[in-house]
Amino acid sequence: MPDTIRIGRVEIMPVADQRTKGPVAFLFPSVPADAWAPYRDLLIDDGQNVPVSVTSFVVRSGGQTILVDTGIGAKGRQLIPDGRLPDALAEAGVRPDDVDVVFTTHIHIDHVGWHTTLRGESYVPTFPKARYVFVRSEWEHFTAPDVAHAAGNEHVVDCVLPLRDAAEVVLVDGEHKLTDDLTLLPAPGHTPSHSCVAIVSDGEAGMIIGDLAHHPAQLIETAWSPVFDMDPALAAESRARIAGRLEEEGLLVLAGHFPAPNHGRLLRVEGRRSWRSGT
């Protein structure tokens, strides 16, 4: 069973859908190879690859069980190995019916994959009793017909559109409070309305950062944008702004794509920002 992280009254359990790796040169094509020298201990395969997890977070707050993002799913697409989130949740003692809210940091394939499951010839909600919460402008962008049905966005058709008729979809704006302890924090750039989840409870604080950063080095080198950022300049601006807050306030960082344990802190060591994994 995954370890449970506590921030005040809030319990957070990282649950891995998939663990893999990716070539540094592909994921960060604009970053020169020699710029990675200070971060080689955070790479693998002699510095050639980045370790990547696809991790969801089970958050218990205010009497609710909230699932932040749902991984890659199991839609049988070429070149994308299926995830195992339902099995991983079961191993952690979480049943689909236990989930009260599914919150989506953004509508990319590796964050909405298990929003639905194929039953017969139809995609149905994987978490049948949950409210599916999306940022309104993110939903409106990706569900627009010309975007949803564009090549490469099959996940919108399979994982998001079926929810309109089969689940309770809740659209929210801005810094929306999911519970008294959880507040959405806009961080656009990776997608038009990508959001993080700020956690403040009993004098402690942390943040689930979604795809604000795919690798710890990005919280230090905030201008480094991966190939997946839709608006690299805006993503870098959001990353710099939030990374400054993470460091200044000493927040616990929870990151879905960082390797296990998926959390850590930004510290100032000898005048330079650095990453320390763990609590």
Side-chain angles (χ1 to χ4, degrees), residues 7-220:
I7 298 176
R9 298 180 302 273
V10 179
E11 296 182 353
I12 308 116
M13 183 165 55
V15 181
D17 183 48
Q18 187 186 110
R19 290 190 176 95
T20 184
K21 61 183 179 180
V24 174
F26 168 75
L27 294 176
F28 295 92
S30 64
V31 179
D34 58 2
W36 284 95
Y39 310 106
R40 283 186 65 87
D41 60 331
L42 300 174
L43 301 176
I44 57 175
D45 301 331
D46 196 27
Q48 298 303 304
N49 288 308
V50 174
V52 178
S53 70
V54 179
T55 298
S56 303
F57 295 93
V58 177
V59 183
R60 293 189 171 95
S61 170
Q64 298 187 79
T65 297
I66 300 161
L67 182 62
V68 179
D69 293 330
T70 67
I72 203 81
K75 303 300 193 285
R77 296 189 178 93
Q78 291 183 343
L79 304 179
I80 302 177
D82 287 349
R84 61 178 306 272
L85 182 64
D87 290 339
L89 288 172
E91 293 163 6
V94 180
R95 302 171 303 168
D97 285 356
D98 294 336
V99 177
D100 300 300
V101 174
V102 174
F103 173 66
T104 310
T105 60
H106 63 292
I107 302 178
H108 272 173
I109 186 171
D110 53 334
H111 294 260
V112 300
W114 286 106
H115 277 35
T116 63
T117 302
L118 185 62
R119 293 282 185 267
E121 297 182 357
S122 301
Y123 289 101
V124 301
T126 303
F127 306 96
K129 296 183 179 180
R131 304 186 302 279
Y132 284 77
V133 178
F134 297 85
V135 174
R136 186 185 310 276
S137 49
E138 183 84 357
W139 170 275
E140 291 175 347
H141 172 81
F142 279 98
T143 61
D146 59 329
V147 176
H149 296 282
N153 283 345
E154 293 81 4
H155 66 286
V156 180
V157 175
D158 296 346
C159 306
V160 178
L161 295 185
L163 299 173
R164 292 192 293 197
D165 298 322
E168 181 182 355
V169 174
V170 180
L171 304 181
V172 301
D173 300 296
E175 294 189 7
H176 176 82
K177 291 183 76 68
L178 287 175
T179 70
D180 289 343
D181 304 314
L182 309 179
T183 303
L184 306 187
L185 183 64
H190 182 65
T191 62
S193 297
H194 173 278
S195 293
C196 303
V197 182
I199 305 165
V200 180
S201 177
D202 284 352
E204 299 179 358
M207 190 180 298
I208 299 173
I209 66 170
D211 280 11
L212 183 78
H214 289 69
H215 188 276
Q218 288 180 270
L219 297 177
I220 302 166

Side-chain angles (χ1 to χ4, degrees), residues 221-270:
E221 310 286 353
T222 57
W224 290 9
S225 275
V227 68
F228 308 112
D229 281 353
M230 294 176 65
D231 185 334
L234 182 57
E237 179 182 313
S238 292
R239 199 158 38 247
R241 170 173 50 85
I242 293 177
R245 177 177 174 181
L246 297 174
E247 179 191 347
E248 291 165 14
E249 299 181 19
L251 304 185
L252 183 67
V253 181
L254 300 111
H257 289 310
F258 290 11
N262 295 97
H263 58 276
R265 298 182 191 271
L266 284 178
L267 304 174
R268 183 69 52 167
V269 179
E270 296 182 351

